Amino acid sequence: MTVTRNPTKPPSSSSDLLEVDTRTGERPGDRYVRVLQPFAESFRRRAPGHLLVTEQVLRPHGALGTAANLLRRVFVGRRLASEGEINERIGPIKGLAVFASDNISSSAYASEEIMRVVVAAGAGALALTMPLTVAIVVVLGIVVTSYQQTIRAYPSGGGSYIVASDNLGKIPGLVAAAALLTDYVLTVAVSIAAGVAALTSIYPALFGWRVAVGVTFVFLLWLGNLRGIRESANIFAIPTYVYLVAIYGLIGFGLWRVATGTLPTYVPPAGWVAGHAVEALGLLLIFRAFAAGSVALTGTEAVSNGVPAFRPPESRHAGQVLILMGIFFGSIFLGISFLAAQLGVVPDPTEQETVISQIARTLVGAGTPFHLLIQLSTAFLLVLAANTAFADFPRLASILGKDRFLPRQFQFRGDRLAFSVGIMVLAILSAVLIVAFGGSVTNLIPLYTVGVFVAFTLSQSGMVVHWWRSRVTTRGWRWRAGLNGAGALATGIVAVIVGVAKFALGAWMVLLLIPLLIGVMWAIALHYRDVEGALALNWTGQALPVRAPRVIVPLSRLDRAAFEALAYARSISSDVTAVHVTDDRADLDEMRRRWEAWSGPVQLVILESPYRALMAPLMAYIEATETMDPSRPTTVVLPEFVPRHLWEYPLHNQTALRLKIRLFFRPNTVVIDVPYHLRNGRAGHR
Amino acid sequence: MTVTRNPTKPPSSSSDLLEVDTRTGERPGDRYVRVLQPFAESFRRRAPGHLLVTEQVLRPHGALGTAANLLRRVFVGRRLASEGEINERIGPIKGLAVFASDNISSSAYASEEIMRVVVAAGAGALALTMPLTVAIVVVLGIVVTSYQQTIRAYPSGGGSYIVASDNLGKIPGLVAAAALLTDYVLTVAVSIAAGVAALTSIYPALFGWRVAVGVTFVFLLWLGNLRGIRESANIFAIPTYVYLVAIYGLIGFGLWRVATGTLPTYVPPAGWVAGHAVEALGLLLIFRAFAAGSVALTGTEAVSNGVPAFRPPESRHAGQVLILMGIFFGSIFLGISFLAAQLGVVPDPTEQETVISQIARTLVGAGTPFHLLIQLSTAFLLVLAANTAFADFPRLASILGKDRFLPRQFQFRGDRLAFSVGIMVLAILSAVLIVAFGGSVTNLIPLYTVGVFVAFTLSQSGMVVHWWRSRVTTRGWRWRAGLNGAGALATGIVAVIVGVAKFALGAWMVLLLIPLLIGVMWAIALHYRDVEGALALNWTGQALPVRAPRVIVPLSRLDRAAFEALAYARSISSDVTAVHVTDDRADLDEMRRRWEAWSGPVQLVILESPYRALMAPLMAYIEATETMDPSRPTTVVLPEFVPRHLWEYPLHNQTALRLKIRLFFRPNTVVIDVPYHLRNGRAGHR
């Protein structure tokens, strides 16, 4: 075994493209210009051995490439350099659309979900809607105030995962992460299902197609989000503000009618039968109704997780968005619940008409332009609310990827700086959910919210620890810790209520999934750590062990491809043995005869295999030669014929493929394909 | 470019295992014994550079391997050496079971298929069954006589493909081959469907499962045939002879009852309604009935194609089988048709009870042991009749593979000398057919027989040309040519009748498929010829061009895997450049710092990629270096991390995989994976 300890550097060759090839002997100037020319557009030289790649390198090749590139530019947009990330950040106006649309859009169904639960105890129980709404808005107030502090304490992004890992430890962090990942997937599924429900309220013909429509929306969101955060904000800002104007218009008009005592008469939906109570009005029912309504709080986490997406000062912009969000959502939620109670609205048991649609048609008339506006803007907002999850899930996954709890690929940013892999995974999982649950909001809701409140509680508890730790440097740490403590308590109680109330309805799936996810993430992290430990090497002063490989070239025939393989083998090592396996005596003699006639610099070994096996004798032979001289690595050089067309592949290389698979798992063995290209009549290998 | 014209031979090393490693300096005797020992069981030395592989090499490894091997020995049997082929040949007794079972088994449904057609013209038309049967038996007589000559003229296998190519040209040969391949697949499907029908006649509960039962039989045949021709003959001989005994018993008993005038009264099947004629008794109907009955001749080809499977003297044994077959089949066919006519049997419109079953139950009583024996032996024979196709299809495919009209893999003989690939393809295609046609014999029959008669006609016409060519040396060539001419004429007429009669019913599919298959085979042959031409090289005195490759090592991190890759790269070439692509300035600086600290013998080039692209800059860089020095091949060495478990794969090597796919199609480029194994805590690469 020859170990070369830093021998002379290789001839300073053409490695960084702009240096002169010293072996040519031409005038440096000429050479410099001639060589530089074709690549000056592709690379710029920053320092010796450091080339900057220009966008030119990414230009498409061929007609197909150009067409694909054009499509991508239309749908995804122009490529953005990594340095342009700061320009892609957003202010509070767009921030509200991106990060608060989830929360605000919940106002479209929060009242209804409460009513659907309490109505089981009879139409009279609907009177509970308003008090429950107030209770939820109070919790929201606590959460928003509490998160204000988180945002200020973690200006580089204070999602539950970070806050909990930072202050409570890795496992609570992972619990929060798993809970959130699950919930983001559910957010997309629920929002889109609700959006489709708003549409079917005005176009009942669409009801049979709700799964297909939902999946189409997921696909559109996928595409929209590949455009990056700023452009998706542009797309999604308008529906948010249209919704706000429309819904405040409706509530205002309704309140005026209440104040003037001119409320019209309400007609229940066609399917409604004022039946008897099917359930007693117990504590569990009230809990369940509270749990159903508290879906409304799910969007809050998004803002604190997404702080880095805001323009500086990031914390201030994020804080503004959080407060605005609380005000908008709270007032709409209260307004809708109030109007529903005043009108005596009952939820449509067939899920075909939403409560808001019923309020709108009663107040302004069914099918009037304003009714349509309310429904369409609600539908759009709900669909786009899923976008909040699209902004957050990939961001969280990328952080988990960086911390090695998820595969590295989640860190990759695409052409537009969006986290493409996370976006794809979220789209696929939520589409699967929509299909699995038949696109029904009511079926999906029980799975939802448990995760979010678990994450809330962990995050707020973490903040309490945070303030305690920095008690020396922080003024007023007591009231800050108290505030976050109140948040933790409130959300903790909700988490338990939601978990208990929804357990049998489906929350058990989530409570099963979260530990499973944690297990997977933990296993991934262990594996990466393990591998990194095993692979770590201090290179400083490490000598490169140079050992000429022992090369084996399996040959089936003596053709050009075999010749090229032998030539390559000889150029990387002087110890080359060609091996021919055969079961045919005539073939054996012919091979030997031709080989001797050739008298080349390579030895031939013929393995006569009477049982027609090819792989096993070859493997045994490699084993044997290695045992005789274990100091050097084995290299197998395979001639591989590359035909002109793809369909011709099955006609060739079957044996090479099988051999490669077998050898790949063999330690200390390197396999080299020497491709022989057959193109345009000439051999590709020069 | 350095071209080495036969430099000194490499050090006579350990290539053929038994020579002394001259570099060790140990005593030859010691070395010889020590090295030989572990491999003496695996290899025997026949000559320098020529090792014979023993069965020891094929011994299984590990518990899983042992278990798999055990299973294979149970189901497929002990491995056979190629030299043992002659011992696997068969005599006329087993030959009848293997090659005539298809034809003889046709007697189980030939009468019925005729009756099913003529009954459309009313129950009275059933009187036509007997004359049609006689006509078909006459044609059979001509064909058998005619084929006797073919067998003698082609003792090494005289299938239609060989006879037609030999005497009429490649295209007629391919027409015959395509027609036969198609028909063999249909033979399997029809035989098995008919066998299942015989079973459902006695076990009607099985009727709903007929597709599943059929596919199971195909699978069993697949397995049985992997055991090789002699063992499959052992398995399949008994049912053939049991059937012959049973059916002759039935016919004999029936004839005695007719002679004595004691025929019992026949009761038609439950579904039978003696309705009016739905069709006029025209020529087309008679043609269709004749065509339906002539399925009976389909097995004849098998014998002449399978001559090499017989023990010497091959031709004589094959000729005996052919004559026996004709006698057995003809007499049974006539007997059944006669009895059916005497009893007035009508075909069951629901396909649930076969004609033979009706005859048996009328003569010996339903459900009696003899009735059961008839049905069970018929069922088994029909299923095993498919075996004829399993004996012939792979044989024909292997001949086509040798002539390069089908992929080479068809030539491969498995552990038991059976043509494994052909057997697999036949099994899969016929199972697909059974599923596609719902396991119905009547649906499948129209596709059948066209091909066989086309092949017959071509083969017999070929024989006429054969006699004409050898007219000088062959005595009595005139009457021989006349005999084969009569065969060609008879089968030609039947081919036209079958084609016309069955065209609309499904024969069009076959008539479409045959030219398609010919096209594919022609394309394959052209491709192979083309490639062989392009790859051919006269090695004699050809110098091996040795050029040190320019090696590029893409690195993402500085770990052990990267280190091993660099070490390997340096040991095969002195011109090695490491390339690191990054979009992260911090990563870039860190890499440069560590590289300089290492100061190894390899140059580093950093490609800064602000658009995060990895593949495109790397490809552009390779392109550029190659343009600067096109004389040497480019070699890319990739560090590839091999994790302990399969599930860990997606967490690694994504980039390496993408790069490999991209580079594989690049001419003049060799890709080398240097695997780094992580097993049992120690690194695999020494």
Side-chain angles (χ1 to χ4, degrees), chain A residues 135-153:
Chain A
I136 291 166
V137 171
V138 169
V139 174
L140 175 71
I142 298 173
V143 170
V144 166
T145 323
S146 175
Y147 262 88
Q148 284 290 330
Q149 300 208 98
T150 311
I151 289 170
R152 247 166 257 149

Side-chain angles (χ1 to χ4, degrees), chain A residues 169-226:
Chain A
K170 272 290 158 208
I171 289 283
L174 283 184
V175 174
L180 281 175
L181 289 179
T182 316
D183 246 68
Y184 284 138
V185 176
L186 284 161
T187 300
V188 175
V190 169
S191 301
I192 287 184
V196 175
L199 274 182
T200 56
S201 297
I202 38 174
Y203 300 115
L206 230 55
F207 190 76
W209 296 88
R210 60 183 182 168
V211 171
V213 173
V215 172
T216 308
F217 281 139
V218 171
F219 181 75
L220 291 175
L221 280 171
W222 181 349
L223 215 60
N225 275 282
L226 286 181

